[in-house]
Amino acid sequence: RKPIPTGINGLDEVMDGGLSKTELAIVLAPLGVGKTTIMTKMANTAQRCGQNVLQIFFEDNPKVIQRKHLTCWMDGKYTLNQIVENDEEVLANAEIMQKNGGRIQLKKFTSHDTTMTKIKQYVKKEIAKGFKPDIIFLDYIDCVIPSRRVDDVNVGEGVVMREFEAMLFELNIAGWTAVQSNRSGLNADTVDATMMGGSIKKAQIGHFVLSIAKTLEQKESGTATMAILKS
């Protein structure tokens, strides 16, 4: 294994250095706990380590993701709201960070017609143009529809996850994705596998499953509880 670190010390220790190519990891969390933020942090860390990063998203504005990367490169010196006020310093620092690390590419897809086949075609085109991702962050896989017709929604979710796993293996890429929890995950002390929204097959297919929980008190204090559900 040649693991790509997440940038979260305790997590990297548990993962024996991070996620390696062909491995598929899942972040399971309820609405509003920061799935996109933590995946952006991990994507930024991978770029700093010299890895080529492809960050795919469906629901966020690209400018929001860009600002999160800028704050990561500033090591938390400024908040998202302070980025604009200090734009000259921030952009100069970002230019240095981009030159010293790998490439990071952001791609927004629509959630109503995107299949894993479509994503794979996009990745292959980028490889042909000279950009070979070492790691992909897919935010999030619940927005991807099956490439073939299935009558059962739960079966379809399993098909999509299996397609993602197959793509990572074929193209020799590491992959992180996020999965929404069900309602029972809201304000839970710890999110467990029974709180996964939709099909449990998503967790069965993933090689590593991390959950994040935030109670109301934790949201106010800026903390969270992580749990390793599968390793």
Side-chain angles (χ1 to χ4, degrees):
R1 296 179 72 247
K2 294 182 179 179
I4 301 170
T6 66
I8 302 168
N9 294 337
L11 186 57
D12 286 331
E13 185 176 338
V14 170
M15 298 182 72
D16 195 21
L19 195 69
S20 190
K21 290 183 178 180
T22 74
E23 294 174 352
L24 167 58
I26 298 170
V27 177
L28 169 64
L31 180 71
V33 305
K35 290 188 292 294
T36 298
T37 296
I38 193 171
M39 292 183 73
T40 301
K41 161 69 176 174
M42 293 190 290
N44 192 272
T45 298
Q47 182 273 336
R48 288 189 186 209
C49 294
Q51 306 295 320
N52 286 337
V53 179
L54 174 60
Q55 189 171 357
I56 297 172
F57 48 96
F58 298 87
E59 298 176 340
D60 285 276
N61 185 310
K63 294 293 183 183
V64 173
I65 304 295
Q66 288 172 1
R67 285 198 294 270
K68 288 184 177 184
H69 279 292
L70 291 173
T71 60
C72 288
W73 278 322
M74 293 301 297
D75 293 321
K77 183 178 179 179
Y78 300 124
T79 65
L80 288 174
N81 293 333
Q82 294 170 331
I83 288 292
V84 177
E85 301 168 12
N86 301 275
D87 60 337
E88 289 187 12
E89 178 188 356
V90 169
L91 293 176
N93 181 68
E95 187 175 347
I96 294 171
M97 299 301 289
Q98 287 175 304
K99 286 180 180 179
N100 293 335
R103 285 181 59 189
I104 187 163
Q105 189 159 305
L106 306 181
K107 174 63 178 177
K108 184 180 176 74
F109 280 97
T110 57
S111 57
H112 65 277
D113 64 351
T114 299
T115 63
M116 200 55 68
T117 297
K118 185 175 181 179
I119 292 174
K120 183 178 177 181
Q121 289 172 344
Y122 171 79
V123 174
K124 283 189 169 183
K125 285 181 181 179
E126 292 305 304
I127 293 173
K129 290 191 292 185
F131 175 70
K132 170 64 167 65
D134 296 298
I135 188 167
I136 292 176
F137 293 86
L138 180 58
D139 184 16
Y140 53 101
I141 202 159
D142 294 340
C143 295
V144 182
I145 62 176
S147 299
R148 58 181 174 84
R149 179 182 173 86
V150 290
D151 296 324
D152 189 306
V153 174
N154 287 338
V155 172
E157 290 179 344
V159 168
V160 170
M161 188 67 79
R162 186 67 74 190
E163 289 175 332
F164 188 35
E165 179 196 36
M167 182 187 76
L168 297 175
F169 182 81
E170 178 184 339
L171 302 179
N172 194 33
I173 299 172
W176 278 93
T177 190
V179 171
Q180 198 90 273
S181 78
N182 55 32
R183 290 182 180 179
S184 61
L186 293 170
N187 299 322
D189 291 327
T190 304
V191 172
D192 61 42
T194 65
M195 300 176 184
M196 178 167 288
S199 174
I200 194 65
K201 288 183 180 295
K202 292 181 287 189
Q204 293 171 340
I205 295 168
H207 306 146
F208 183 86
V209 182
L210 162 74
S211 76
I212 307 174
K214 276 189 181 183
T215 62
L216 291 175
E217 291 78 12
Q218 286 179 310
K219 288 180 180 179
E220 292 177 0
S221 63
T223 61
T225 300
M226 288 185 177
I228 309 303
L229 307 185
K230 182 180 180 182
S231 179

